[in-house]
Amino acid sequence: MDEIAIVEQALRRAAPHMLMSVVEEALRKYYGAVDVELRLADYGLRSLQLVGSKPLAEWSLPIHSSPQGRAFGAQEPYVTRTADSVQAHLPVTIRGDRMGVLTVTVAKDHDILPQLEELQHICEALGHEILVAERDTDLYVLARRAARLTLAAEMQWQLLPGRSCARPEFSLGAHLEPAYAIFGDNYDWSASADHLTLTVTNGMGEGIEAALLTNLAINALRNARRAGLDLADQAALADQAVYAQYRGRSYVSVLLLRFDLTSGEVEAVDAGSPRLWRMRDRAVERVSFESQLPLGMFEDTVYVTERFTVLPGDRLLFGSDGVYDAASPDGESYGERALARALTSTRLLPPTQVPGAVLRELTAYHGDSPLEDDALVVCLDWRGRQDGARGEDRASAPPEPADA
């Protein structure tokens, strides 16, 4: 444990672009490493990109068919052996947000198994420092892209809170497609001691116009939330901001929810097209609300909240219209029956993997032609607060299950 403290201190003192040099030096000195690699997941969650190298295909490893990808997916260390070395692949994950994998190579006669727990602590420290370092360097952001992003996609990705989040009361996972050319879909979340606020957004238009519209709406909702306004007033303030800018020419559909972490009671404002499905005891049903006007369509729209309750074990799936309106070659929309089947077939996967799995099924369902709109999926597993403790008194979320 002394070695872990030394590494943590060295990471805090290191220049933002030197974090891997610090980790590599420490792992060579204290753990007998002969090679160390950090790979971060790309925006499409298809490959693991080597940090520090130009993000070309030869430097990438597929998430779904590599030892590193297995550690990333299962969220637990995975050890492989060759004739002359042993490799430990360790997930780098912060507060449920899966960032990538650290691979530590040692000599074949080195017993690395007793050191895995300490190495995992170092991965956690490294992940925290990467989040801080991203304010001051593009190194880690560059490693996440396997292809060039459109400007609109760059704006949208910078707006997102992350791709996953975990607390004792819930686990969240989300994904957007096409990852490198996003239009107007977006999501946002914020958790306090007693509440989780979640928004799923579908903006009009394409390209820069859609990105600007969504940025305005998301930041207006954040501004209202941080001012302490209730859910209906958050929607009203964002509605006024969008209308003031566009005068009804463009508007934003949003599903806005606020979860009570103790009781499971949920307030909801349905202002447009994003939809919600619930799986409870393997039964899938759509959760419907009274439709209200999208944000910015008319001046001074008044919004009202509705309420429902989630129970421990519930899984919620949120989808944009690019998901449920996508049609099969026969013309049947994905949301009619196929989405419910996909939710049932992925029930054993952790919520971080469900959005990607659903979107892969959506692509197969849609056929050879590319999707005509953004496809956004957010998955929420609800555990609730079983002992009445406040969120800040609970150390960490339980580990998610491995791949099914």
Side-chain angles (χ1 to χ4, degrees):
M1 297 301 292
D2 291 340
E3 289 84 356
I4 295 174
I6 292 171
V7 177
E8 289 177 341
Q9 291 175 8
L11 284 170
R12 285 194 291 269
R13 292 194 299 265
H17 63 285
M18 294 295 291
L19 298 180
M20 271 306 296
S21 296
V22 169
V23 168
E24 184 172 3
E25 180 181 350
L27 294 183
R28 289 180 184 275
K29 180 178 180 180
Y30 298 118
Y31 296 93
V34 296
D35 188 43
V36 181
E37 289 183 350
L38 173 64
R39 295 178 179 272
L40 299 181
D42 86 304
Y43 288 116
L45 284 178
R46 296 182 180 89
S47 63
L48 291 165
Q49 305 287 123
L50 189 62
V51 172
S53 296
K54 194 172 182 179
L56 298 173
E58 59 263 31
W59 297 109
S60 302
L61 289 175
I63 284 181
H64 298 291
S65 59
S66 66
Q68 291 86 345
R70 175 168 174 169
F72 181 82
Q75 286 296 285
E76 59 184 25
Y78 180 61
V79 176
T80 58
R81 303 177 187 275
T82 66
D84 55 2
S85 67
V86 177
Q87 287 188 322
H89 310 288
L90 304 116
V92 179
T93 300
I94 302 301
R95 300 186 186 278
D97 194 6
R98 303 181 300 163
M99 301 172 67
V101 175
L102 184 74
T103 296
V104 182
T105 303
V106 297
K108 64 179 181 179
D109 56 352
H110 185 104
D111 186 8
I112 200 171
L113 295 180
Q115 299 174 328
L116 291 180
E117 184 175 354
E118 292 185 12
L119 292 173
Q120 195 65 68
H121 282 294
I122 292 174
C123 287
E124 184 174 350
L126 173 62
H128 277 289
E129 293 306 317
I130 288 174
L131 291 180
V132 176
E134 285 181 340
R135 300 179 310 170
D136 304 313
T137 179
D138 287 337
L139 177 64
Y140 309 104
V141 175
L142 288 172
R144 291 190 174 95
R145 53 194 71 194
R148 183 175 179 178
L149 272 69
T150 64
L151 178 55
E154 187 87 50
M155 295 169 67
Q156 296 286 56
W157 279 109
Q158 292 301 311
L159 192 63
L160 296 174
R163 285 185 295 212
S164 51
C165 177
R167 283 267 300 261
E169 301 89 354
F170 65 85
S171 292
L172 268 168
H175 193 56
L176 274 165
E177 282 291 340
Y180 293 89
I182 301 167
F183 299 133
D185 288 3
N186 209 277
Y187 57 85
D188 193 28
W189 57 64
S190 176
S192 65
D194 296 307
H195 294 93
L196 165 69
T197 301
L198 172 65
T199 59
V200 182
T201 308
N202 188 183
M204 286 182 61
E206 299 180 2
I208 296 298
E209 290 300 320
L212 290 170
L213 174 62
T214 303
N215 267 260
L216 174 60
I218 292 292
N219 280 295
L221 288 166
R222 288 174 176 173
N223 178 256
R225 184 184 72 230
R226 292 164 183 170
L229 301 183
D230 62 28
L231 206 66
D233 287 340
Q234 290 176 33
L237 187 146
D239 170 72
Q240 293 169 15
V242 175
Y243 185 83
Q245 183 67 31
Y246 292 96
R247 313 304 296 181
R249 298 186 304 274
S250 297
Y251 46 85
V252 180
S253 299
V254 60
L255 180 59
L256 181 59
L257 303 107
R258 187 170 187 259
F259 295 77
D260 187 301
L261 298 180
T262 300
S263 68
E265 185 176 49
V266 187
E267 294 179 273
V269 173
D270 181 357
S273 61
R275 300 185 189 179
L276 167 62
W277 286 261
R278 176 178 60 207
M279 183 169 67
R280 176 178 290 171
D281 298 328
R282 298 185 65 172
V284 178
E285 62 179 344
R286 183 176 164 200
V287 181
S288 299
F289 305 101
E290 180 182 347
S291 296
Q292 302 180 66
L293 293 173
L295 305 183
M297 179 174 281
F298 297 105
E299 189 174 12
D300 297 328
T301 303
V302 176
Y303 293 93
V304 296
T305 58
E306 299 177 68
R307 295 178 183 271
F308 68 101
T309 301
V310 287
L311 302 178
D314 281 358
R315 169 166 284 182
L316 305 181
L317 190 82
F318 307 84
S320 66
D321 55 7
V323 174
Y324 56 78
D325 282 344
S328 70
D330 295 331
E332 181 178 348
S333 67
Y334 188 69
E336 287 185 34
R337 290 179 294 181
L339 192 145
R341 293 196 298 268
L343 190 52
T344 300
S345 68
T346 59
R347 67 187 183 279
L348 298 180
L349 292 178
T352 51
Q353 296 184 37
V354 171
V358 170
L359 289 172
R360 286 192 295 274
E361 291 197 21
L362 171 65
T363 300
Y365 180 87
H366 185 62
D368 296 332
S369 59
L371 295 173
E372 298 176 358
D373 195 2
D374 285 354
L376 164 62
V377 175
V378 179
C379 182
L380 168 66
D381 275 7
W382 185 260
R383 291 184 288 268
R385 187 170 291 168
Q386 302 300 313
D387 57 8
R390 290 171 63 86
E392 65 268 32
D393 295 330
R394 301 284 294 276
S396 61
E400 293 181 343
D403 287 339

